[in-house]
């Protein structure tokens, strides 16, 4: 059942490193954003009692990425959080490649479907 | 930076003056503890993050769920690298069932916007009690069944896992029932912002007869993808707040890392009982506050 080029075990190990690297990059970005955020907003009182919803520039993939150049604390944290969400998505995308190498057509289809659900969700489909 | 007078913040039911810096530090510490004990007991930090934020800090439950989902992605992805090396997780079972969990996650995230917060709070409490009970009395590992199931064979799910006596083969059963339960696990995850690892393990271990160790590691593998599916909806709906999510994600991640290191030395059975008791108390509080409309 193992592929000729990559075995399931090897794929798992690559996926493991991919996930850990993604989380570390995301956490470092969130941390950097956190420092900028706290130096600007540290002594203002927060209020999370009532749900207002985030402003438009913090709630879509395109806007968050576009805001990065402003080097605003909140936008930088949001970029880190986006990288965090992207990590398992990258894992699924990589799995398509891995199943392609194994020539497993059934699982290429299964994985493409899962990726489509994730992209649909991130694109604001619901 | 000049000192300014901070306006009052609603801290639980009391009025307390708190700056963002102090608020962030306290949430980071609470999340650190949640991640630490979550990793140590195997229950995950997600189950206590939402009650901690909602009851302890008076945070609106929708923001709390958004932050919790992100911490679930972080711990699941961070832990996966350690698990996969051991050769237990089954990527085919995981990927196939992710079809169900991600679709369920979309439904859960959709429902989270429609259902009143008091109802979400009560559902959360009920699930917490279930988690606490499972944790005190973990399900007995199911016996393996050598009969081959037609669907599982077609889906190439049967595999082997390492044991002391070399690799042991296993055969997967009841794929449609497991798939259906995974859809439910995804819905719970998307609705409540938790990994729902307990439901996933029960579906694989009890229903599909996947060996316990393979079930737990494959479940962890699936949790990140499931949470990412609902996190996309939460992000687009404005439920993910950077100022709140930052200390939660960093705290849980650090706590889970320390917890996994301490796991080897700790007496987990005593801890499990204490942690279960904490979860049980939080559950009662969530149900009470939900029923009286305070959350």
């Amino acid at each position: 059942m193992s592929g000729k080029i990559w075995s399931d075990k090897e794929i798992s190990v690559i996926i493991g490193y991919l996930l850990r690297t993604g989380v570390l990059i995301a956490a470092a970005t969130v941390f950097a954003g956190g420092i900028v955020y706290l130096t600007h907003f540290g002594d203002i009182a927060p209020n999370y009692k009532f749900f207002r919803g985030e402003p438009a520039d913090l709630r879509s993939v395109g806007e968050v990425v576009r805001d990065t150049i402003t080097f605003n604390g909140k936008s930088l944290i949001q970029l880190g959080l986006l990288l965090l969400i992207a990590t398992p998505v990258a894992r699924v995308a990589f799995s398509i490649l891995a199943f392609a190498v194994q020539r497993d057509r059934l699982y290429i289809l299964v994985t493409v479907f899962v990726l489509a659900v994730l992209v649909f969700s991130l694109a604001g489909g619901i | 930076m000049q000192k300014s007078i901070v306006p009052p913040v609603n801290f639980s039911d009391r009025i307390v003056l708190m700056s963002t810096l102090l608020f962030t530090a306290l949430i980071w510490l609470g999340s650190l503890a949640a991640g630490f004990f979550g990793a140590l007991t195997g229950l995950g930090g997600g189950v206590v993050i939402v009650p901690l934020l909602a009851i302890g800090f008076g945070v609106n439950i929708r923001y709390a769920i958004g932050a919790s989902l992100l911490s679930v992605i972080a711990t699941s992805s961070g832990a996966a690298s350690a698990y996969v090396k051991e050769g237990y997780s089954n990527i085919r079972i995981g990927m196939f069932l992710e079809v169900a969990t991600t679709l369920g996650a979309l439904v859960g995230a959709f429902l989270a916007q429609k259902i009143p917060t008091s109802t979400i709070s009560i559902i959360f409490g009920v699930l917490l009690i279930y988690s606490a009970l499972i944790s005190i009395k973990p399900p007995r590992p199911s016996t393996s069944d050598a009969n081959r199931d037609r669907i599982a064979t077609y889906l190439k799910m049967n595999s082997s896992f390492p044991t002391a006596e070399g690799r042991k083969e296993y055969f997967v059963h009841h794929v449609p029932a497991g798939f259906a339960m995974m859809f439910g696990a995804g819905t719970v995850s998307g609705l409540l912002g938790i990994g729902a690892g307990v439901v996933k393990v029960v579906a694989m271990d009890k229903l599909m007869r996947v060996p316990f160790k393979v079930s737990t590691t494959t479940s962890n593998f699936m949790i990140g993808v499931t949470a990412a599916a609902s996190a996309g909806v939460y992000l687009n709906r404005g439920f993910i707040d950077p100022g709140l999510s930052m200390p939660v994600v960093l705290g849980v991640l650090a706590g889970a890392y320390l917890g996994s290191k301490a796991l080897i030395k700790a007496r987990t059975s005593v801890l499990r009982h204490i942690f279960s008791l904490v979860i049980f108390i939080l559950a009662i509080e969530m149900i009470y506050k939900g029923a009286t409309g305070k959350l």
Side-chain angles (χ1 to χ4, degrees), chain B residues 184-199:
Chain B
T187 308
V188 167
S189 170
L191 179 65
L192 306 178
I194 59 175
V198 171
V199 187

Side-chain angles (χ1 to χ4, degrees), chain B residues 26-115:
Chain B
L26 288 177
I27 288 190
W28 185 79
L29 277 175
S31 305
L32 184 82
F36 183 79
F37 290 108
L40 216 52
T41 55
L43 271 167
V47 285
V48 288
I49 287 294
V50 174
L52 173 81
L53 295 177
I55 299 170
F57 291 90
V59 171
N60 183 285
I61 198 163
R62 297 196 205 282
Y63 283 129
I65 290 172
S68 173
L69 263 179
L70 293 168
S71 75
V72 165
I73 299 177
T75 49
S76 156
S77 304
S81 59
Y83 283 139
V84 289
K85 277 186 212 138
E86 297 166 11
Y88 288 111
S89 54
N90 184 321
I91 52 175
R92 284 192 169 74
I93 297 179
M95 192 52 75
F96 185 76
L97 294 177
E98 273 164 17
V99 170
T101 60
T102 51
L103 286 175
L106 289 187
V107 172
F110 176 76
L111 288 176
Q113 303 155 41
K114 304 287 169 197
I115 296 176

Side-chain angles (χ1 to χ4, degrees), chain B residues 9-290:
Chain B
V9 160
N10 212 331
F11 180 77
S12 207
D13 295 316
R14 301 169 294 274
I15 301 289
V16 172
L17 295 170
M18 201 186 329
S19 71
T20 296
L21 193 62
L22 179 63
F23 179 80
T24 305
L26 288 177
I27 288 190
W28 185 79
L29 277 175
S31 305
L32 184 82
F36 183 79
F37 290 108
L40 216 52
T41 55
L43 271 167
V47 285
V48 288
I49 287 294
V50 174
L52 173 81
L53 295 177
I55 299 170
F57 291 90
V59 171
N60 183 285
I61 198 163
R62 297 196 205 282
Y63 283 129
I65 290 172
S68 173
L69 263 179
L70 293 168
S71 75
V72 165
I73 299 177
T75 49
S76 156
S77 304
S81 59
Y83 283 139
V84 289
K85 277 186 212 138
E86 297 166 11
Y88 288 111
S89 54
N90 184 321
I91 52 175
R92 284 192 169 74
I93 297 179
M95 192 52 75
F96 185 76
L97 294 177
E98 273 164 17
V99 170
T101 60
T102 51
L103 286 175
L106 289 187
V107 172
F110 176 76
L111 288 176
Q113 303 155 41
K114 304 287 169 197
I115 296 176
T117 52
S118 55
T119 312
I120 294 177
S121 180
I122 294 170
I123 299 172
F124 204 114
V126 172
L127 195 101
L128 282 181
I129 291 176
Y130 179 67
S131 303
L133 289 177
I134 292 265
S135 151
I136 293 170
K137 207 168 182 269
R140 217 167 340 118
S142 59
T143 49
S144 68
D145 185 341
N147 293 323
R148 279 158 209 259
D149 181 280
R150 215 156 43 90
I151 302 172
T153 307
Y154 176 74
L155 292 168
K156 290 171 247 175
M157 286 176 168
N158 302 325
S159 184
S160 61
F161 69 109
T163 64
E165 301 94 42
R167 290 194 79 86
K168 192 167 180 286
E169 283 205 300
Y170 60 84
F171 301 97
V172 179
H173 300 85
H174 306 299
V175 178
F179 191 86
M181 194 163 172
M182 282 297 170
F183 182 84
T187 308
V188 167
S189 170
L191 179 65
L192 306 178
I194 59 175
V198 171
V199 187
K200 289 189 174 84
V201 171
V202 169
M204 275 189 275
D205 179 66
K206 287 280 164 211
L207 273 177
M208 300 174 70
R209 300 289 184 87
V210 177
F212 191 66
K213 189 79 191 178
V214 179
S215 297
T216 51
T217 52
T218 306
S219 155
N220 175 74
F221 215 58
M222 297 165 61
I223 284 173
V225 172
T226 310
S230 35
V233 178
Y234 278 78
L235 178 77
N236 283 290
R237 291 289 165 156
F239 290 8
I240 289 180
D241 182 81
L244 180 71
S245 304
M246 178 256 297
V248 171
V249 167
L250 295 178
V252 170
L253 203 51
Y257 178 75
L258 294 174
S260 65
K261 291 286 162 201
L263 190 58
I264 308 134
K265 296 172 203 161
R267 284 172 54 93
T268 49
S269 74
V270 180
L271 269 171
R272 231 171 217 282
H273 280 84
I274 298 171
F275 197 61
S276 301
L277 187 70
V278 171
I279 288 177
F280 192 76
I281 295 166
L282 289 173
I284 300 298
E285 189 122 19
M286 290 291 278
I287 293 170
Y288 172 73
K289 292 219 167 172

